Amino acid sequence: MQTNKTIIPAQTIGIIGGGQLGRMMAMEARYMGYKIAVLDPTPNCPTAQVADVQITAPYNDMDGIKQLTDISDVITYEFENVDLEAATYIESKGKLPQGAYALEVTQNREKEKTLMRNLNLPTPKFAIVTNAEVCKKALEDFTYPTVIKTCRGGYDGKGQLKLNSEADLEEALAFVEKNGHCMIEEWIPFDKEISVIFTRSASGDMTYFPISENEHRDHILYKTTVPANIEVELQIKANEAARVLAEDMNIVGTFAIEMFVKGNEIYLNEMAPRPHNSGHYTIEACNISQFGQHIRAICGLPLFEIKQWKQACMINILGEDMEFVLKSIPHHHTGFIHLYGKEEAKEKRKMGHITFIGNTLEEVWTQIHKFEDLKTIT
């Protein structure tokens, strides 16, 4: 059951998950005048630092979920691995406009890719395998390189294995035996990766943020540049694919789809039923951020028409970057630094991001180079 209620300030928005995405949702909602409750197992998590109430409990703790449901007027989530029993319960109470279905699909790569294929959307060739014998047989239909991914879990390159040649066969079979339900997927030698981020209301209105171009390092998003360097024809293809998925899944809220670009073609890779790392640039570069538009959608408010004020580049701040970033703050006057309030700066852990904006991308690159030059003086 989806709710079409209008939630107005100072009613309470509940958030499942207390990381940086929940934090940025909460900050936008607080700016609008809403109260915030968060459920997360970690005391004083990033979202709790800007919330009114924290329920400290595991994500699948039904007592905690019921408590969050009781004190919230509407509930959202910051990641897709929300317990489905919990999501179904909240939906039954009319407080989860996004519904449980989008979670069910995006939690499982098989369901995700099967849905895309059934909708005739372009995806890499794939096959589902459940043991070593099935895997060995399925690989006969693929050329190298190829990739094997777990069907559940995995992010930032975790839960997947690239196979460069037949010499990697034994490693592949061991991977499947260990993980069970897996997907073999064609390796796309793409020219670039893009993100399509949109917001859809319960009434079916959709707005699209400018398409971003992503660069990864060690399987972690390093930077996102907007606008993406793609032709208008590809922009139309990408947004149309997003529309088809959104309408079929009856999406509510902000939603992201990562796509590969190869020549004049796109291939849908993965999707996330919530705001996305590659959309952080919207905070400074657009008239409304992906988080603000998400809050409006789940609260039943009209969506804003999207306008991009500036060209932008967002760079993630990882644990190993924190010392330099903190020392650089007194020395530079460009770039918007967002730190997430995480206590421990672990290597490869996303601790924050910095967004540079300008009238042209050349102006943005100049700012970034000056910022990076600070490494020689700090």
Side-chain angles (χ1 to χ4, degrees):
M1 181 178 78
Q2 286 193 346
T3 176
N4 292 317
K5 295 184 296 184
T6 300
I7 309 300
I8 61 172
Q11 290 182 277
T12 298
I13 299 172
I15 302 174
I16 300 175
Q20 63 263 26
L21 296 178
R23 179 187 180 95
M24 287 182 273
M25 285 183 202
M27 291 173 74
E28 286 281 4
R30 294 285 296 229
Y31 177 79
M32 296 168 69
Y34 290 100
K35 295 177 182 176
I36 301 295
V38 59
L39 183 145
D40 193 277
T42 303
N44 196 40
C45 58
T47 307
Q49 295 165 17
V50 294
D52 297 276
V53 176
Q54 177 178 4
I55 299 169
T56 306
Y59 304 124
N60 61 352
D61 183 308
M62 287 306 299
D63 288 337
I65 290 292
K66 289 176 181 178
Q67 184 182 348
L68 182 70
T69 305
D70 288 342
I71 65 175
S72 302
D73 297 288
V74 67
I75 292 177
T76 185
Y77 43 80
E78 67 143 17
F79 60 95
E80 51 269 33
N81 291 316
V82 174
D83 182 76
L84 285 181
E85 180 187 354
T88 302
Y89 171 80
I90 300 167
E91 185 176 16
S92 73
K93 298 299 182 181
K95 294 186 177 182
L96 190 70
Q98 294 160 273
Y101 177 64
L103 291 170
E104 179 184 345
V105 171
T106 55
Q107 285 179 7
N108 187 300
R109 286 188 171 106
E110 178 182 5
K111 291 183 178 181
E112 194 173 68
K113 283 297 198 305
T114 299
L115 174 62
M116 293 175 182
R117 184 171 62 187
N118 291 344
L119 292 173
N120 297 314
L121 297 173
T123 63
K125 173 184 172 182
F126 69 93
I128 303 302
V129 297
T130 53
N131 57 53
E133 182 179 352
V134 174
C135 177
K136 186 174 182 180
K137 179 66 175 175
L139 281 170
E140 294 174 3
D141 294 328
F142 287 80
T143 58
Y144 294 97
T146 191
V147 64
I148 296 183
K149 303 176 179 180
T150 57
C151 281
R152 295 184 66 87
Y155 63 96
D156 289 345
K158 298 177 177 66
Q160 58 183 274
L161 175 68
K162 183 182 179 183
L163 310 178
N164 293 301
S165 70
E166 195 169 345
D168 297 322
L169 178 60
E170 290 304 316
E171 190 177 1
L173 301 183
F175 181 89
V176 174
E177 282 296 308
K178 176 184 177 182
N179 294 290
H181 193 196
C182 294
M183 172 188 292
I184 301 174
E185 190 173 87
E186 173 189 13
W187 183 266
I188 301 294
F190 56 89
D191 302 322
K192 59 190 66 177
E193 182 193 277
I194 60 173
S195 290
V196 176
I197 298 177
F198 63 87
T199 309
R200 186 173 184 269
S201 69
S203 62
D205 292 334
M206 278 185 69
T207 59
Y208 302 86
F209 289 97
I211 294 176
S212 58
E213 184 173 333
N214 304 323
E215 180 183 329
H216 291 77
R217 291 183 179 177
D218 299 324
H219 304 289
I220 299 172
L221 182 64
Y222 165 59
K223 70 178 180 182
T224 294
T225 303
V226 185
N229 184 21
I230 57 174
E231 300 294 333
V232 173
E233 176 188 355
L234 272 177
Q235 295 179 36
I236 294 171
K237 280 185 183 179
N239 284 338
E240 175 60 15
R243 183 195 64 77
V244 169
L245 262 177
E247 292 185 354
D248 184 84
M249 296 176 70
N250 198 23
I251 295 301
V252 175
T254 294
F255 194 98
I257 309 174
E258 295 175 330
M259 304 183 187
F260 298 136
V261 175
K262 183 181 179 184
N264 294 319
E265 300 299 329
I266 57 168
Y267 297 86
L268 277 67
N269 181 30
E270 296 179 346
M271 50 190 183
R274 36 78 180 171
H276 192 261
N277 193 177
S278 61
H280 293 347
Y281 77 88
T282 59
I283 296 172
E284 281 84 27
C286 295
N287 61 316
I288 187 168
S289 75
Q290 61 168 344
F291 303 101
Q293 197 81 315
H294 179 73
I295 295 299
R296 296 188 69 84
I298 65 167
C299 290
L301 303 179
L303 302 182
F304 280 14
E305 179 184 354
I306 304 297
K307 297 181 186 296
Q308 182 180 355
W309 300 133
K310 297 285 185 177
Q311 316 287 286
C313 181
M314 185 280 307
I315 298 176
N316 272 326
I317 299 170
L318 303 182
E320 58 267 36
D321 305 320
M322 280 292 289
E323 183 178 0
F324 160 65
V325 170
L326 292 174
K327 287 183 177 180
S328 72
I329 289 174
H331 302 285
H332 75 95
H333 59 273
T334 59
F336 296 84
I337 294 176
H338 299 252
L339 298 179
Y340 302 150
K342 296 180 180 180
E343 290 185 4
E344 188 176 357
K346 297 179 182 177
E347 186 174 354
K348 305 303 178 189
R349 188 184 195 191
K350 294 173 184 172
M351 300 299 295
H353 71 269
I354 180 168
T355 301
F356 297 89
I357 61 173
N359 293 318
T360 65
L361 284 178
E362 289 74 18
E363 184 180 326
V364 172
W365 303 141
T366 298
Q367 293 177 32
I368 293 173
H369 293 151
K370 287 182 178 179
F371 175 70
E372 291 176 339
D373 286 345
L374 290 174
K375 291 179 180 179
T376 63
I377 64 172
T378 58

